[in-house]
Amino acid sequence: MVDARKRLSAQISARRKQGVSAELEDMDSSLKAFLESQISELKQRIEGVIAQGKELSAKAELLRSIPGIGPVSIAMLLAEMPELGRMTATEAAAMTGLAPMSHDSGAMRGKRVISGGRRSLRHVLFQAGLAASCHNPVLKAVAKRMKQRGKPHKLVIIAIARRLVTIANAVPKTGLPWRISPVV
């Protein structure tokens, strides 16, 4: 169901990019309305499946406590990473493709880039990273510091997304909702 929702959303995005002639605008708007109704139905079905499963609903409730992670991110994390909460932070980052991979050979040190992992999950976590860099007080401060040091915007968002997946892995592991720790 998560994949089906992703495909329907991609169709809507593709239609926006293409643009339509004036005579086909009515057909295009009715197609868009149909696709949006299908997405809405899938969203309800996904929420139903999550609510029915005891373990899934418990994990979803814990993930909802993290600012920046919304319903789409929760559904993707639960569908694409059933191992969530049972791995290390490094494994979680590598599984999502958010861990920097080195391109070294002998004495040459290459550039570190993110690659591999579960691509669709990485895309959703990038969007969650954008939201978290604005709405999660802890990650917002991290993003601000990185920008002040002159880091490129995309690098900042990827770093925030990696921290998000680390938090999303730790929260089910501890069984406690996310909260800001008071400074002692």
Side-chain angles (χ1 to χ4, degrees):
M1 286 187 282
V2 170
D3 286 341
R5 181 180 59 189
K6 183 175 54 178
R7 283 192 304 273
L8 291 173
S9 295
Q11 287 180 7
I12 290 175
S13 295
R15 299 212 59 79
R16 282 188 194 126
K17 290 177 185 174
Q18 289 174 349
V20 256
S21 62
E23 62 256 4
L24 297 177
E25 205 166 296
D26 288 340
M27 286 177 60
D28 190 60
S29 62
S30 63
L31 176 61
K32 182 181 171 191
F34 173 73
L35 291 173
E36 286 174 348
S37 71
Q38 293 293 304
I39 290 170
S40 178
E41 184 181 327
L42 281 170
K43 179 184 171 191
Q44 291 173 349
R45 290 170 112 185
I46 290 168
E47 288 172 357
V49 167
I50 290 171
Q52 287 175 352
K54 186 179 177 183
E55 186 181 334
L56 281 180
S57 64
K59 271 187 184 180
E61 197 58 41
L62 290 171
L63 292 173
R64 274 188 199 95
S65 70
I66 306 168
I69 293 187
V72 173
S73 303
I74 290 170
M76 284 295 289
L77 282 166
L78 294 175
E80 298 279 334
M81 282 183 73
E83 311 89 349
L84 199 64
R86 297 188 304 256
M87 60 185 129
T88 66
T90 307
E91 291 170 338
M95 194 168 285
T96 57
L98 293 170
M101 301 294 172
S102 61
H103 293 279
D104 298 344
S105 178
M108 185 200 83
R109 289 196 30 94
K111 189 175 182 181
R112 269 70 176 142
V113 294
I114 59 168
S115 64
R118 296 171 183 166
R119 187 171 191 235
S120 59
L121 189 55
R122 182 172 60 242
H123 289 260
V124 168
L125 287 170
F126 183 85
Q127 293 299 317
L130 281 170
S133 67
C134 296
H135 302 292
N136 186 317
V138 173
L139 298 178
K140 184 177 183 177
V142 171
K144 185 179 178 184
R145 282 194 308 269
M146 290 180 79
K147 287 177 186 174
Q148 287 172 344
R149 290 192 312 232
K151 300 295 182 187
H153 177 72
K154 189 173 181 181
L155 186 140
V156 171
I157 301 304
I158 293 295
I160 297 300
R162 180 175 178 169
R163 283 179 171 86
L164 259 182
V165 79
T166 300
I167 293 168
N169 184 51
V171 165
K173 194 181 283 191
T174 62
L176 299 171
W178 188 85
R179 64 190 186 306
I180 299 172
S181 299
V183 180
V184 179

PDB file of all heavy atoms in Angstrom, residues 143-157:
ATOM      1  N   ALA A 143      21.090  22.304  12.583  1.00  0.00           N
ATOM      2  CA  ALA A 143      21.073  22.821  11.215  1.00  0.00           C
ATOM      3  C   ALA A 143      21.612  24.243  11.167  1.00  0.00           C
ATOM      4  O   ALA A 143      22.384  24.591  10.266  1.00  0.00           O
ATOM      5  CB  ALA A 143      19.663  22.764  10.646  1.00  0.00           C
ATOM      6  N   LYS A 144      21.238  25.044  12.136  1.00  0.00           N
ATOM      7  CA  LYS A 144      21.700  26.438  12.174  1.00  0.00           C
ATOM      8  C   LYS A 144      23.218  26.504  12.330  1.00  0.00           C
ATOM      9  O   LYS A 144      23.886  27.275  11.639  1.00  0.00           O
ATOM     10  CB  LYS A 144      21.011  27.171  13.330  1.00  0.00           C
ATOM     11  CG  LYS A 144      21.329  28.637  13.397  1.00  0.00           C
ATOM     12  CD  LYS A 144      20.589  29.313  14.541  1.00  0.00           C
ATOM     13  CE  LYS A 144      20.968  30.777  14.618  1.00  0.00           C
ATOM     14  NZ  LYS A 144      20.337  31.428  15.777  1.00  0.00           N
ATOM     15  N   ARG A 145      23.768  25.672  13.221  1.00  0.00           N
ATOM     16  CA  ARG A 145      25.227  25.647  13.415  1.00  0.00           C
ATOM     17  C   ARG A 145      25.951  25.218  12.144  1.00  0.00           C
ATOM     18  O   ARG A 145      26.977  25.790  11.774  1.00  0.00           O
ATOM     19  CB  ARG A 145      25.591  24.714  14.566  1.00  0.00           C
ATOM     20  CG  ARG A 145      25.364  25.298  15.933  1.00  0.00           C
ATOM     21  CD  ARG A 145      26.046  24.476  17.030  1.00  0.00           C
ATOM     22  NE  ARG A 145      25.721  23.063  16.998  1.00  0.00           N
ATOM     23  CZ  ARG A 145      24.706  22.507  17.658  1.00  0.00           C
ATOM     24  NH1 ARG A 145      23.909  23.248  18.400  1.00  0.00           N
ATOM     25  NH2 ARG A 145      24.499  21.211  17.591  1.00  0.00           N
ATOM     26  N   MET A 146      25.412  24.214  11.469  1.00  0.00           N
ATOM     27  CA  MET A 146      26.047  23.729  10.246  1.00  0.00           C
ATOM     28  C   MET A 146      26.020  24.807   9.150  1.00  0.00           C
ATOM     29  O   MET A 146      26.994  24.991   8.425  1.00  0.00           O
ATOM     30  CB  MET A 146      25.378  22.453   9.750  1.00  0.00           C
ATOM     31  CG  MET A 146      25.642  21.254  10.644  1.00  0.00           C
ATOM     32  SD  MET A 146      24.841  19.765  10.049  1.00  0.00           S
ATOM     33  CE  MET A 146      25.980  19.298   8.757  1.00  0.00           C
ATOM     34  N   LYS A 147      24.904  25.513   9.035  1.00  0.00           N
ATOM     35  CA  LYS A 147      24.795  26.590   8.040  1.00  0.00           C
ATOM     36  C   LYS A 147      25.758  27.717   8.354  1.00  0.00           C
ATOM     37  O   LYS A 147      26.352  28.306   7.443  1.00  0.00           O
ATOM     38  CB  LYS A 147      23.361  27.112   7.975  1.00  0.00           C
ATOM     39  CG  LYS A 147      22.416  26.144   7.298  1.00  0.00           C
ATOM     40  CD  LYS A 147      20.985  26.652   7.321  1.00  0.00           C
ATOM     41  CE  LYS A 147      20.053  25.591   6.755  1.00  0.00           C
ATOM     42  NZ  LYS A 147      18.643  25.973   6.882  1.00  0.00           N
ATOM     43  N   GLN A 148      25.937  28.019   9.649  1.00  0.00           N
ATOM     44  CA  GLN A 148      26.874  29.071  10.045  1.00  0.00           C
ATOM     45  C   GLN A 148      28.314  28.697   9.711  1.00  0.00           C
ATOM     46  O   GLN A 148      29.139  29.560   9.461  1.00  0.00           O
ATOM     47  CB  GLN A 148      26.749  29.371  11.539  1.00  0.00           C
ATOM     48  CG  GLN A 148      25.500  30.130  11.895  1.00  0.00           C
ATOM     49  CD  GLN A 148      25.293  30.251  13.399  1.00  0.00           C
ATOM     50  OE1 GLN A 148      25.909  29.541  14.199  1.00  0.00           O
ATOM     51  NE2 GLN A 148      24.397  31.152  13.792  1.00  0.00           N
ATOM     52  N   ARG A 149      28.611  27.410   9.699  1.00  0.00           N
ATOM     53  CA  ARG A 149      29.949  26.947   9.321  1.00  0.00           C
ATOM     54  C   ARG A 149      30.125  26.873   7.818  1.00  0.00           C
ATOM     55  O   ARG A 149      31.169  26.443   7.331  1.00  0.00           O
ATOM     56  CB  ARG A 149      30.229  25.584   9.946  1.00  0.00           C
ATOM     57  CG  ARG A 149      30.402  25.647  11.450  1.00  0.00           C
ATOM     58  CD  ARG A 149      30.967  24.363  12.004  1.00  0.00           C
ATOM     59  NE  ARG A 149      30.258  23.194  11.498  1.00  0.00           N
ATOM     60  CZ  ARG A 149      29.744  22.227  12.243  1.00  0.00           C
ATOM     61  NH1 ARG A 149      29.871  22.273  13.554  1.00  0.00           N
ATOM     62  NH2 ARG A 149      29.132  21.208  11.698  1.00  0.00           N
ATOM     63  N   GLY A 150      29.080  27.241   7.065  1.00  0.00           N
ATOM     64  CA  GLY A 150      29.182  27.295   5.610  1.00  0.00           C
ATOM     65  C   GLY A 150      28.880  26.000   4.887  1.00  0.00           C
ATOM     66  O   GLY A 150      29.231  25.850   3.711  1.00  0.00           O
ATOM     67  N   LYS A 151      28.226  25.060   5.542  1.00  0.00           N
ATOM     68  CA  LYS A 151      27.895  23.799   4.889  1.00  0.00           C
ATOM     69  C   LYS A 151      26.780  24.015   3.872  1.00  0.00           C
ATOM     70  O   LYS A 151      25.868  24.798   4.093  1.00  0.00           O
ATOM     71  CB  LYS A 151      27.434  22.759   5.920  1.00  0.00           C
ATOM     72  CG  LYS A 151      28.467  22.434   6.978  1.00  0.00           C
ATOM     73  CD  LYS A 151      29.678  21.778   6.390  1.00  0.00           C
ATOM     74  CE  LYS A 151      30.678  21.422   7.474  1.00  0.00           C
ATOM     75  NZ  LYS A 151      31.915  20.934   6.927  1.00  0.00           N
ATOM     76  N   PRO A 152      26.822  23.308   2.741  1.00  0.00           N
ATOM     77  CA  PRO A 152      25.753  23.438   1.736  1.00  0.00           C
ATOM     78  C   PRO A 152      24.417  22.937   2.276  1.00  0.00           C
ATOM     79  O   PRO A 152      24.367  22.044   3.130  1.00  0.00           O
ATOM     80  CB  PRO A 152      26.230  22.545   0.584  1.00  0.00           C
ATOM     81  CG  PRO A 152      27.646  22.221   0.865  1.00  0.00           C
ATOM     82  CD  PRO A 152      27.887  22.414   2.321  1.00  0.00           C
ATOM     83  N   HIS A 153      23.342  23.500   1.762  1.00  0.00           N
ATOM     84  CA  HIS A 153      21.988  23.193   2.240  1.00  0.00           C
ATOM     85  C   HIS A 153      21.691  21.694   2.174  1.00  0.00           C
ATOM     86  O   HIS A 153      21.172  21.117   3.137  1.00  0.00           O
ATOM     87  CB  HIS A 153      20.966  23.985   1.420  1.00  0.00           C
ATOM     88  CG  HIS A 153      19.555  23.695   1.790  1.00  0.00           C
ATOM     89  ND1 HIS A 153      18.993  24.128   2.981  1.00  0.00           N
ATOM     90  CD2 HIS A 153      18.578  22.990   1.156  1.00  0.00           C
ATOM     91  CE1 HIS A 153      17.740  23.716   3.044  1.00  0.00           C
ATOM     92  NE2 HIS A 153      17.458  23.029   1.953  1.00  0.00           N
ATOM     93  N   LYS A 154      22.003  21.050   1.066  1.00  0.00           N
ATOM     94  CA  LYS A 154      21.688  19.630   0.911  1.00  0.00           C
ATOM     95  C   LYS A 154      22.447  18.785   1.937  1.00  0.00           C
ATOM     96  O   LYS A 154      21.892  17.851   2.500  1.00  0.00           O
ATOM     97  CB  LYS A 154      22.010  19.168  -0.509  1.00  0.00           C
ATOM     98  CG  LYS A 154      21.506  17.784  -0.810  1.00  0.00           C
ATOM     99  CD  LYS A 154      21.684  17.435  -2.267  1.00  0.00           C
ATOM    100  CE  LYS A 154      21.166  16.052  -2.564  1.00  0.00           C
ATOM    101  NZ  LYS A 154      21.345  15.698  -3.969  1.00  0.00           N
ATOM    102  N   LEU A 155      23.689  19.126   2.192  1.00  0.00           N
ATOM    103  CA  LEU A 155      24.482  18.408   3.186  1.00  0.00           C
ATOM    104  C   LEU A 155      23.857  18.555   4.570  1.00  0.00           C
ATOM    105  O   LEU A 155      23.769  17.591   5.338  1.00  0.00           O
ATOM    106  CB  LEU A 155      25.920  18.937   3.201  1.00  0.00           C
ATOM    107  CG  LEU A 155      26.885  18.170   4.090  1.00  0.00           C
ATOM    108  CD1 LEU A 155      28.216  18.037   3.386  1.00  0.00           C
ATOM    109  CD2 LEU A 155      27.066  18.841   5.419  1.00  0.00           C
ATOM    110  N   VAL A 156      23.372  19.753   4.890  1.00  0.00           N
ATOM    111  CA  VAL A 156      22.727  19.999   6.180  1.00  0.00           C
ATOM    112  C   VAL A 156      21.483  19.125   6.320  1.00  0.00           C
ATOM    113  O   VAL A 156      21.285  18.469   7.349  1.00  0.00           O
ATOM    114  CB  VAL A 156      22.369  21.499   6.335  1.00  0.00           C
ATOM    115  CG1 VAL A 156      21.507  21.729   7.567  1.00  0.00           C
ATOM    116  CG2 VAL A 156      23.628  22.341   6.401  1.00  0.00           C
ATOM    117  N   ILE A 157      20.663  19.085   5.283  1.00  0.00           N
ATOM    118  CA  ILE A 157      19.419  18.311   5.347  1.00  0.00           C
ATOM    119  C   ILE A 157      19.714  16.813   5.455  1.00  0.00           C
ATOM    120  O   ILE A 157      19.047  16.090   6.202  1.00  0.00           O
ATOM    121  CB  ILE A 157      18.507  18.617   4.139  1.00  0.00           C
ATOM    122  CG1 ILE A 157      18.161  20.104   4.111  1.00  0.00           C
ATOM    123  CG2 ILE A 157      17.244  17.765   4.170  1.00  0.00           C
ATOM    124  CD1 ILE A 157      17.519  20.636   5.380  1.00  0.00           C
TER     125      ILE A 157
END
